[in-house]
Amino acid sequence: MSAAHPLSVVNAAIFDGVSAELAEGVIHIHDGVIVGIGGSAGPAGQVIDARGGTVIPGLIDAHFHAYGTELDLLVLESSPLSYLSLAGARRLAAALRRGFTTVRDVAGGDPGLAKAIAEELITAPRYLYTGAALSQTGGHGDPRPGDLDLCAGGAHLAEIVDGVDALRRAVRDRFRQGAHAIKIMASGGVVSLTDPIRIPQYSAAEIQAVTDEATRRGSYVAAHAYSPEAIAHAVTNGVRTIEHGNLLDAPAADLMAAHGAFLVPTLAAYDAMDRRGEEVGLAPISQSKNREVLAAGQRAIELARAAGVPIGFGSDLMGVLEDEQLTGLRLQVEVDGALETLRSATSVNAEIIGRPDLGRIAVGARADLVILPGNPLEDPSILWAHPRHRMVVKDGRLV
């Protein structure tokens, strides 16, 4: 990556990723790192005038799918990877323009896409990927309808892997290929056709094999899970982040807190599928499943917050619904307030991915910033306004 020139951001209030009170001061950046906060602009380099707006840390989407070009999993898994990569590059660039300077891809991604990003062949957020999610036969990641005998496809978003030994091998191979973490499907899902949404997936021994391999590698496991029984099954067997978690109840929330697990809600996906499902060809069975989890999503955040479970932020948007990414912030603000939602999408998500240098505005942190035209704690709608109303800085360079 080419070195970034010195940069100062002036005339701004600062949300540091944690504090309830905004600070004042000039942000000084050198070589992509925040080197000082306060004083006046440096004598050389670029100066960005925030014009009295607010600077927040670059947003982090902890549940993103670069290759999620379709809501039809069978079509998606049958598509050439070359096409998914090119379409994924556009999805990543759009996310960056919205202010998401880091994304965690929790079903997909591979060394080729990551290398293209690292070499700046494409414009993209910082990119952490799990590779294809692991699914049991007939699980959420199995795209085959029950009445057709088809090949499962290309394992772009999910791979069908059954049994302890096969799972260990699959996990080891993902880490060989640079995976940030491992994703498993631990309950039924909305867009899969053959699995009841509440039933836990994978045996305890299978999940333990995956979490054991990830833990010894210094990594962790993220699990797609909706129901209390699936959430409990996942966290008691070593899973660190629960993705979605819409049907969470109070005992399951307490269990998550006791095991130090995080909740990554993805409210945007259900709201968008509910409003636009018919328009985008979502299968009737998937529309029915979606209605079951839609209403419960915000309540799950309330239960997690009451139990002391740390709450992140994710979008999980597939196909053309990707343009709803900022809507997720609005939905989370409605239930958790602007301050907690901002923390979720910055410092909490940074904790989830193990990157204390992200999600904060502090000396030594990476210079990933979003410059907003007002105070989002007073007017949260600024957070989901059109991206043309914001400036985005990644690694000390204006996007």
Side-chain angles (χ1 to χ4, degrees):
M1 181 178 290
S2 57
H5 296 294
L7 173 68
S8 296
V9 181
V10 303
N11 192 21
I14 300 168
F15 170 68
D16 64 7
V18 179
S19 303
E21 301 296 326
L22 301 184
E24 300 288 338
V26 177
I27 302 172
H28 301 285
I29 296 163
H30 188 70
D31 285 340
V33 176
I34 297 171
V35 295
I37 300 174
S40 57
Q46 184 179 8
V47 176
I48 295 177
D49 185 353
R51 299 179 180 179
T54 302
V55 182
I56 66 173
L59 299 168
I60 301 171
D61 188 338
H63 196 116
F64 187 86
H65 298 303
Y67 292 163
T69 57
E70 297 276 350
L71 277 87
D72 186 325
L73 293 181
L74 198 58
V75 171
L76 194 157
E77 292 292 6
S78 302
S79 298
L81 188 56
S82 55
Y83 168 78
L84 296 179
S85 298
L86 290 167
R90 295 191 66 169
R91 292 168 65 85
L92 286 162
L96 181 59
R97 288 193 296 271
R98 295 182 197 111
F100 290 92
T101 54
T102 300
V103 299
R104 184 184 67 152
D105 193 330
V106 285
D110 55 59
L113 182 59
K115 186 175 182 180
I117 292 169
E119 293 181 359
E120 299 182 334
L121 300 182
I122 61 175
T123 299
R126 190 172 280 99
Y127 184 66
L128 308 173
Y129 60 98
T130 65
L134 298 166
S135 171
Q136 70 176 42
T137 296
H140 175 49
D142 189 337
R144 301 170 295 178
D147 59 346
L148 296 176
D149 190 13
L150 302 170
C151 173
H156 301 319
L157 255 68
E159 181 182 7
I160 299 168
V161 183
D162 294 294
V164 166
D165 289 344
L167 283 165
R168 286 191 185 278
R169 188 178 303 113
V171 170
R172 291 169 183 173
D173 201 49
R174 277 156 178 72
F175 286 129
R176 177 187 69 83
Q177 296 182 62
H180 158 74
I182 302 298
K183 167 78 174 294
I184 66 170
M185 304 302 195
S187 82
V190 171
V191 296
S192 45
L193 302 177
T194 63
D195 53 340
I197 206 161
R198 289 178 170 269
I199 293 175
Q201 295 179 3
Y202 277 130
S203 68
E206 288 172 314
I207 295 179
Q208 287 168 16
V210 174
T211 57
D212 174 59
E213 292 292 335
T215 301
R216 283 191 288 110
R217 184 72 183 220
S219 184
Y220 65 93
V221 176
H224 162 106
Y226 284 116
S227 65
E229 49 268 48
I231 292 166
H233 185 58
V235 299
T236 55
N237 287 297
V239 165
R240 182 166 175 264
T241 72
I242 294 296
E243 310 298 308
H244 320 301
N246 294 45
L247 304 178
L248 184 72
D249 64 11
D254 289 338
L255 199 60
M256 286 182 67
H259 285 268
F262 292 76
L263 176 68
V264 179
T266 57
L267 300 178
Y270 312 102
D271 180 77
M273 285 190 287
D274 185 61
R275 286 184 288 105
R276 299 169 61 186
E278 193 168 345
E279 163 204 336
V280 299
L282 189 66
I285 189 171
S286 294
Q287 292 184 45
S288 175
K289 286 182 175 184
N290 188 63
R291 282 191 291 273
E292 181 179 354
V293 298
L294 170 67
Q298 290 180 318
R299 175 62 178 154
I301 291 177
E302 292 176 344
L303 291 166
R305 181 67 66 199
V309 174
I311 299 167
F313 171 86
S315 62
D316 189 33
L317 293 161
M318 306 284 280
V320 297
L321 302 181
E322 66 165 312
D323 60 6
E324 302 272 0
Q325 195 175 22
L326 293 172
T327 304
L329 295 172
R330 174 178 64 79
L331 295 165
Q332 203 150 322
V333 166
E334 285 175 5
V335 63
D336 213 18
L339 176 61
E340 291 296 358
T341 298
L342 276 169
R343 287 169 173 163
S344 292
T346 57
S347 57
V348 177
N349 271 354
E351 185 180 357
I352 286 174
I353 62 177
R355 289 291 300 267
D357 60 330
L358 302 177
R360 283 182 168 80
I361 296 177
V363 173
R366 298 302 306 178
D368 290 0
L369 311 171
V370 181
I371 303 166
L372 300 169
N375 182 348
L377 299 181
E378 294 177 353
D379 179 11
S381 68
I382 292 168
L383 293 171
W384 52 87
H386 194 281
R388 67 174 172 267
H389 299 300
R390 64 191 56 186
M391 288 185 279
V392 181
V393 174
K394 177 176 174 281
D395 276 324
R397 288 182 292 183
L398 189 63
V399 175

